[in-house]
Amino acid sequence: PIENHDILLNAEISEVRDEMLENIDFVFVPVECWSVLMKKYGTSTEHTAIKRQVIEFGEFSKQLKIDLSGVKIEMVFGEIKMKRILSKSDTVEHLKGMMDEIFHVKDTERRLWLKKLPNNYILLKDDQDKLENFTLSGDNLVVILETKQSDGTWSEKYSSAAKVQTNFERNSSSAFGSHKKCGRRHDLHTEHDPS
C-alpha cells in the first residue's frame, strides 16, 4: 500500500517535514496518476494523499511551481480552533467558505479578522485577496470568524482593537509582501518513495 505518513510532520493537516526533498523522499504526481496508483496499490491510512497546487509565481517573469509549504492557518470561531494548510494562491473568499463549512455557519452575516498581534486585528474585507498577501515566510496566520450578534451588532472585541485600515495596505511596502504574485492553480498529490 501507499504510505506517506513518515514524510509528514503533522498528518492531520498534511504538513510535510522540512527536511524532506522532492524526487528523493517523495515525488509529485497529477491527480489522474494518483487515482491510478490508489486503485492499483491502495492505502494503509486515511491521511495518505498530500494535496498541493501548482501556482504561477512572479510578477514579471511567470513560473509554475508547486506550493509545497502553503500557508498554515489557525482558524478560530469562538473557543473552537482548527488548523489547516491552504495554498498561497487561495483567496479570502475560499477561506471564508472553508470556515463556514468547518464551523457550520449558515445564513448569517459574518466577517473574517486577521490577528497580527495579541490585540491587533485587520478586517479581511476584499474576498479576492490572496493569502500570500498576508504572510511572511514561515508565518502562521490566525484568522477569526465573527458572526453578527442576534441584536444585529458586531462584537466590540475585534473592531475596537482593529487597525484603522481594513485589509492589507496595497500601496505601502508592507511586511506582508507584494500583492497578487500567484495566479492559476492545479491540484497535485504526492506519493512517498519507499526506496
Side-chain angles (χ1 to χ4, degrees), residues 8-178:
L8 296 174
L9 180 64
N10 182 339
E12 191 69 31
I13 60 172
S14 296
E15 182 179 0
V16 177
R17 293 186 356 225
D18 289 337
E19 66 271 16
M20 295 292 108
L21 300 172
E22 183 180 354
N23 297 324
I24 294 173
D25 298 307
F26 63 90
V27 295
F28 289 104
V29 297
V31 174
E32 297 80 12
C33 182
W34 178 256
S35 297
V36 170
L37 290 169
M38 288 298 292
K39 283 181 186 174
K40 182 167 179 138
Y41 299 107
T43 181
S44 60
T45 65
E46 64 181 85
H47 296 293
T48 297
I50 303 170
K51 296 180 182 180
R52 293 298 186 261
Q53 297 168 2
V54 175
I55 56 179
E56 196 173 70
F57 280 89
E59 293 183 51
F60 305 109
S61 175
K62 304 291 184 192
Q63 295 180 340
L64 294 178
K65 292 185 179 180
I66 295 172
D67 187 10
L68 179 60
S69 59
V71 178
K72 295 176 196 166
I73 298 183
E74 181 175 344
M75 297 178 274
V76 180
F77 181 56
E79 299 299 317
I80 305 167
K81 298 178 181 180
M82 302 284 288
K83 292 184 179 181
R84 293 286 186 272
I85 294 180
L86 297 178
S87 172
K88 293 176 181 103
S89 69
D90 282 330
T91 62
V92 170
E93 181 177 38
H94 176 80
L95 175 60
K96 197 180 286 184
M98 176 180 273
M99 290 179 76
D100 287 349
E101 187 176 313
I102 289 171
F103 297 122
H104 307 289
V105 175
K106 296 179 183 173
D107 303 323
T108 185
E109 196 172 342
R110 78 269 189 264
R111 58 188 183 181
L112 296 183
W113 293 93
L114 173 66
K115 183 176 182 178
K116 288 183 59 180
L117 298 169
N119 287 311
N120 191 337
Y121 303 89
I122 294 178
L123 180 62
L124 300 180
K125 205 168 185 178
D126 184 352
D127 282 349
Q128 298 313 307
D129 265 340
K130 296 189 184 309
L131 298 180
E132 76 160 349
N133 294 335
F134 306 107
T135 63
L136 288 170
S137 179
D139 277 358
N140 296 335
L141 294 181
V142 177
V143 179
I144 299 143
L145 175 65
E146 178 188 29
T147 55
K148 204 170 234 187
Q149 299 175 13
S150 57
D151 65 1
T153 62
W154 296 101
S155 165
E156 287 296 312
K157 180 178 180 179
Y158 305 114
S159 52
S160 63
K163 289 189 72 167
V164 174
Q165 91 276 2
T166 57
N167 256 13
F168 155 83
E169 296 175 12
R170 296 179 200 285
N171 297 325
S172 71
S173 56
S174 167
F176 288 126
S178 61

